[in-house]
Amino acid sequence: MSKISSYLSYFNLTLTGKFILLLFTFNSLSINKAISQEKFKIVIDAGHGGKDPGRPNKNGILEKDIVLNMALNLGRELKKDDNQIIYTRNKDVFLTLRQRAKIANEADADLFISIHCNAFHDSRVYGTETYVYGLHVSKANFDVALKENEVIFLEEDFEKNYQGFDPNAPESLIGLTLMQEEYLDQSILLASFIQDNFSKKLKLKNRGVKQSGFWVLHNTYMPSVLIETGFITNPKEGAYLNSSNAQKDIAHNIFNAVNKYKTTLGITGNYDVVYRPKNEITYKVQIAASRRKLELKSYNFKGLKDLSVKKEGRLYRYFYTSSYDYNEILKKKGYAISKGYKKSFIVGFKNGKIVAINN
Ligand SMILES: [Zn+2]
């Protein structure tokens, strides 16, 4: 790969949708430099809380307390490493699943990490598993999601709030839109690093990376994982999870997994510095045009990220993603259409101006 094309693939990987353009000279080429100055934003979600104690068990262990300690330990380490941390809760309060997803979406976070403990009627079962959202659900995985989704019943007006989502019916998951599809690869990457650390560093039993229909994973518009850190119904593992050492060690190993995830994706520090040649056409997918100015948040655009806008006269033109590669942008156009932007089309940008493209 040439230097420029390797920068270009780096560009595709690191473009976050929020950047400013500066002129810059490099290798006698006049090129633009895009700098993103936002911190990497992580929402940490301690499961349950308040009137919802978490999974029942005979050992008198409170899931809500264990996962809160883990969440706070994790947040402390990540903050020291210059990430921006948002907790869905930092004390013992009840939150609906809807509120948790809303916090993450409104923050436009880069990552969502939900922390839980598992439970099972057979107390011999133990080990850790990390979930990403998915519809290829086995019966066993569905049962875990069922228990974590159960909190919906604790809410008033749950039918209105969850739009026909019945926590007891697997088929009701399928009617919902697939916000998580776009981030599945990244979610799986982080989940596998977490499981790797748990088994190799902490010698915990690895029950694997799994997919299931967790409501809270489904409704966050960013790479998201839900960690079941172990079974509180298993006497040995329950006692371990209840110890402050375990709560530190588990948090520390999630922290290391997040670091590895960032390194793997080329997210280093707070600056993503990328180069691109001038005079080349950048393609974007126009998804909408409106007289209304909308905030460029994924929840305003059916979960699409990497958004931009250009004002022309009284009209705002909204664009999804960008690439130098026409074939890639063609795929992205298909994705935008599948999200409901049926009239999406491709436009070219040259030196900041829109140029005609045969669609
Ligand atoms: Zn839980």
Side-chain angles (χ1 to χ4, degrees):
M1 242 192 323
S2 74
K3 202 162 199 173
I4 287 295
S5 67
S6 70
Y7 280 131
L8 292 186
S9 55
Y10 183 55
F11 173 80
N12 288 333
L13 203 62
T14 57
L15 183 72
T16 59
K18 297 164 215 145
F19 56 88
I20 50 167
L21 292 171
L22 297 170
L23 283 175
F24 189 69
T25 307
F26 181 74
N27 276 2
S28 75
L29 269 171
S30 182
I31 51 180
N32 298 323
K33 182 183 182 183
I35 304 175
S36 160
Q37 296 197 6
E38 291 215 345
K39 282 190 180 186
F40 193 72
K41 219 183 279 177
I42 305 169
V43 171
I44 304 176
D45 175 48
H48 313 277
K51 66 181 174 184
D52 170 19
R55 307 294 292 277
N57 64 93
K58 290 176 187 147
N59 306 323
I61 294 172
L62 285 174
E63 178 187 354
K64 65 173 183 176
D65 292 347
I66 293 175
V67 297
L68 178 59
N69 288 337
M70 289 174 179
L72 295 175
N73 289 339
L74 173 62
R76 225 170 281 129
E77 284 205 68
L78 286 167
K79 227 182 256 178
K80 254 189 241 159
D81 214 32
D82 217 20
N83 297 284
Q84 186 182 341
I85 300 304
I86 296 147
Y87 298 104
T88 54
R89 67 178 181 98
N90 57 10
K91 50 182 186 285
D92 186 19
V93 289
F94 178 77
L95 275 173
T96 65
L97 296 179
R98 191 184 181 79
Q99 285 168 323
R100 293 168 199 267
K102 193 164 175 253
I103 289 168
N105 292 336
E106 286 189 347
D108 210 10
D110 298 298
L111 212 52
F112 177 83
I113 302 173
S114 189
I115 306 177
H116 287 259
C117 299
N118 223 330
F120 199 60
H121 58 81
D122 183 344
S123 66
R124 287 171 300 182
V125 174
Y126 68 101
T128 65
E129 43 201 38
T130 298
Y131 283 87
V132 299
Y133 182 79
L135 290 176
H136 307 288
V137 180
S138 75
K139 172 80 173 75
N141 293 0
F142 181 71
D143 286 345
V144 176
L146 203 63
K147 294 283 181 251
E148 301 292 8
N149 287 335
E150 235 169 34
V151 66
I152 288 174
F153 283 134
L154 291 176
E155 297 173 33
E156 289 154 30
D157 288 339
F158 91 87
E159 262 167 297
K160 194 180 82 211
N161 287 337
Y162 295 94
Q163 295 165 8
F165 181 93
D166 176 357
N168 289 319
E171 62 276 11
S172 82
L173 296 170
I174 293 158
L176 299 169
T177 50
L178 269 173
M179 294 298 188
Q180 270 296 309
E181 188 183 287
E182 194 178 354
Y183 309 113
L184 191 59
D185 290 349
Q186 290 172 57
S187 302
I188 290 172
L189 189 70
L190 176 62
S192 56
F193 289 156
I194 291 169
Q195 282 304 121
D196 243 29
N197 282 355
F198 283 174
S199 64
K200 286 183 188 143
K201 298 282 175 353
L202 295 179
K203 310 291 174 208
L204 298 171
K205 184 180 176 185
N206 183 0
R207 299 172 58 90
V209 172
K210 298 180 174 180
Q211 281 192 301
S212 196
F214 291 101
W215 194 92
V216 75
L217 292 184
H218 178 81
N219 287 280
T220 45
Y221 311 152
M222 66 217 56
S224 304
V225 297
L226 186 147
I227 309 166
E228 295 283 2
T229 52
F231 284 77
I232 48 177
T233 40
N234 178 276
K236 200 175 156 205
E237 198 162 73
Y240 168 74
L241 291 168
N242 213 15
S243 72
S244 66
N245 272 348
Q247 290 158 14
K248 270 189 214 117
D249 288 347
I250 285 174
H252 182 65
N253 278 279
I254 300 170
F255 165 76
N256 283 340
V258 171
N259 275 343
K260 193 170 174 192
Y261 169 87
K262 287 173 70 179
T263 310
T264 306
L265 292 182
I267 305 159
T268 45
N270 300 322
Y271 285 74
D272 296 328
V273 181
V274 288
Y275 305 92
R276 51 185 186 154
K278 218 180 169 187
N279 293 324
E280 222 179 293
I281 290 180
T282 311
Y283 301 105
K284 295 186 175 196
V285 181
Q286 179 168 331
I287 49 175
S290 168
R291 289 197 176 175
R292 270 182 61 207
K293 191 168 195 298
L294 291 167
E295 254 196 292
L296 298 180
K297 300 274 189 181
S298 52
Y299 57 79
N300 281 332
F301 294 90
K302 302 182 199 287
L304 294 177
K305 264 197 167 185
D306 207 357
L307 302 156
S308 55
V309 63
K310 189 169 171 60
K311 190 165 188 249
E312 280 192 338
R314 295 168 69 185
L315 213 56
Y316 294 95
R317 296 174 70 170
Y318 294 96
F319 306 101
Y320 163 55
T321 202
S322 70
S323 175
Y324 293 102
D325 181 343
Y326 186 79
N327 287 324
E328 195 197 319
I329 213 73
L330 211 53
K331 275 189 230 150
K332 297 285 188 181
K333 179 182 138 188
Y335 185 70
I337 289 171
S338 78
K339 286 285 194 178
Y341 291 106
K342 301 265 183 274
K343 291 179 180 166
S344 294
F345 59 93
I346 296 169
V347 297
F349 277 79
K350 196 172 175 181
N351 301 329
K353 293 233 162 60
I354 294 177
V355 292
I357 299 290
N358 288 329
N359 263 263

